[in-house]
Amino acid sequence: MIDRFVAVPSFASRGAPFDAPPPPQSAARPSVERLALAAEFGPLARLVAAPEVTDVFVNGGEQVWVDRGDGLERADIGPLTAAESRDLAVRLVALGGRHVDEATPCIDVRLDGGVRVHAVLAPVAPSGALLSIRLPQDRRLDLDTLAAAGMFDRDPAKLDRLVRAVGARTNLLISGAGGSGKTTLLAALLGAAAPDERIVTIEDVAELRIDHPHVVGLQTRQANVEGAGDLGLDRLLRESLRMRPDRLVLGECRGAEVREMLAALNTGHDGGAGTLHANSLDDVPARLEALGALAGMSTAALARQAVSGIGLVLHVEREGGVRRVAAVGRLALADDARLVVRRESW
């Protein structure tokens, strides 16, 4: 692991000024790709086509909710019937190359343009089919754009520090709650990697949209109707090591694959990165220990591997409509050899 910082040119000096406000939502226009995809969403088409919408939720065919960047609100469209919500779920999942039925009632799928759909059918969802639709920005957000939107508290020194960490090939872990901006920040940071580096991403459902000339992505595969042929994150991580990655990226660490990821970061694969669900920076050690337990790792083994393999932890929070890096720290061993995180000034 390399955790030193090296001097690199400031990103803020090459794009929009740091104090420039983000472009107003009213000025946004949906892309041709988004408009074409919206037609597949039937009664939800108008919501999906709106460029300011980030999430749409169908609650069992009774209610439709939408997030336009300022939190959830009831959508101004009529409710879907139970049959309509189920048919829509089946069609969208099939569009992404997967299947959802009574035998496989819960599924996650990626559509064109990075749109992510999670579906749950009855009887697992007693009120009817549930749909959670995540709509990414039509354009890829770089570090300058995130800075202007407040991700780094409009402080050039904070952005420069993270750019230097990427340049130094520091292994990064980004934590936060769902919808806090972990994936968006990860993609923007990876876009700052040297153009001659090969980035290999491993995701359950492909979401990362990285503005970089050499990105190769792997995505898990669900089992077929006979229950065979599934490929999980742990298997894909092992396969990726044979692809000569300069930067190995795990879109989200959520299970036993933490063992393979930490093993890779401890065997010469510097510059790696990933995300982790956690309520706060202080909760990251406990989350890692829980995932390590799923992989059969002892707390001592997990702690030593994590301290050696992860150079910097960034915790992202969403406050109102603003997503920001709220805390930064480094993993360390306590006196009793348990994993802890040491907060750093930010």
Side-chain angles (χ1 to χ4, degrees), residues 36-96:
L37 181 62
E40 300 287 349
F41 285 77
L44 305 180
R46 179 166 57 84
L47 299 177
V48 173
E52 72 276 7
V53 171
T54 61
D55 297 89
V56 179
F57 302 100
V58 177
N59 296 344
E62 297 177 358
Q63 300 176 352
V64 179
W65 291 75
V66 63
D67 190 340
R68 293 184 170 88
D70 296 320
L72 293 176
E73 58 186 72
R74 288 286 294 271
D76 55 350
I77 64 173
L80 280 67
T81 66
E84 286 174 333
S85 60
R86 177 188 171 86
D87 290 345
L88 180 59
V90 172
R91 184 170 75 251
L92 293 177
V93 171
L95 191 64

Side-chain angles (χ1 to χ4, degrees), residues 13-35:
S13 65
R14 299 193 293 105
F18 228 93
D19 58 353
Q25 291 182 345
S26 60
R29 294 290 185 272
S31 66
V32 174
E33 182 182 47
R34 181 129 165 191
L35 287 173

Side-chain angles (χ1 to χ4, degrees), residues 7-304:
V8 296
S10 167
F11 252 62
S13 65
R14 299 193 293 105
F18 228 93
D19 58 353
Q25 291 182 345
S26 60
R29 294 290 185 272
S31 66
V32 174
E33 182 182 47
R34 181 129 165 191
L35 287 173
L37 181 62
E40 300 287 349
F41 285 77
L44 305 180
R46 179 166 57 84
L47 299 177
V48 173
E52 72 276 7
V53 171
T54 61
D55 297 89
V56 179
F57 302 100
V58 177
N59 296 344
E62 297 177 358
Q63 300 176 352
V64 179
W65 291 75
V66 63
D67 190 340
R68 293 184 170 88
D70 296 320
L72 293 176
E73 58 186 72
R74 288 286 294 271
D76 55 350
I77 64 173
L80 280 67
T81 66
E84 286 174 333
S85 60
R86 177 188 171 86
D87 290 345
L88 180 59
V90 172
R91 184 170 75 251
L92 293 177
V93 171
L95 191 64
R98 296 187 173 185
H99 63 271
V100 61
D101 51 30
E102 284 73 14
T104 310
C106 308
I107 196 66
D108 215 10
V109 69
R110 178 189 183 275
L111 307 183
D112 290 343
V115 174
R116 180 171 178 172
V117 176
H118 183 265
V120 183
L121 298 185
V124 176
S127 61
L130 305 178
L131 281 169
S132 304
I133 303 165
R134 175 69 58 86
L135 301 164
Q137 293 276 345
D138 285 328
R139 61 194 180 96
R140 295 171 179 172
L141 301 180
D142 59 18
L143 289 173
D144 287 331
T145 304
L146 293 182
M151 177 67 80
F152 314 108
D153 299 328
R154 304 186 186 279
D155 184 343
K158 292 182 177 181
L159 174 57
D160 285 346
R161 180 184 182 186
L162 297 186
V163 173
R164 290 197 302 271
V166 174
R169 298 181 56 79
T170 302
N171 292 329
L172 303 174
L173 180 65
I174 302 175
S175 66
S180 59
K182 300 185 299 297
T183 301
T184 299
L185 176 59
L186 176 59
L189 288 171
L190 291 170
D196 60 347
E197 293 181 339
R198 175 176 170 87
I199 300 174
V200 178
T201 66
I202 303 98
E203 299 178 84
D204 185 31
V205 176
E207 284 187 287
L208 284 167
R209 305 173 73 193
I210 305 168
D211 188 10
H212 188 277
H214 196 166
V215 180
V216 178
L218 301 178
Q219 177 180 269
T220 61
R221 185 178 69 185
Q222 73 173 132
N224 60 22
V225 293
E226 287 81 25
D230 65 306
L231 286 173
L233 291 171
D234 52 351
R235 169 70 183 277
L236 294 181
L237 271 164
R238 292 193 295 272
E239 296 298 328
S240 69
L241 298 178
R242 301 180 177 91
M243 299 170 63
R244 217 217 77 176
D246 292 308
R247 292 182 184 265
L248 190 62
V249 180
L250 180 59
E252 180 184 339
C253 188
R254 61 175 65 183
E257 66 275 0
V258 68
R259 177 181 54 211
E260 279 72 22
M261 186 63 180
L262 289 176
L265 298 182
N266 277 279
T267 53
H269 292 278
D270 294 322
T275 73
L276 177 79
H277 272 84
N279 293 329
S280 69
L281 183 67
D282 297 326
D283 290 329
V284 168
R287 283 285 295 139
L288 288 173
E289 287 180 353
L291 298 181
L294 295 176
M297 300 178 69
S298 67
T299 55
L302 181 283
R304 288 178 171 82

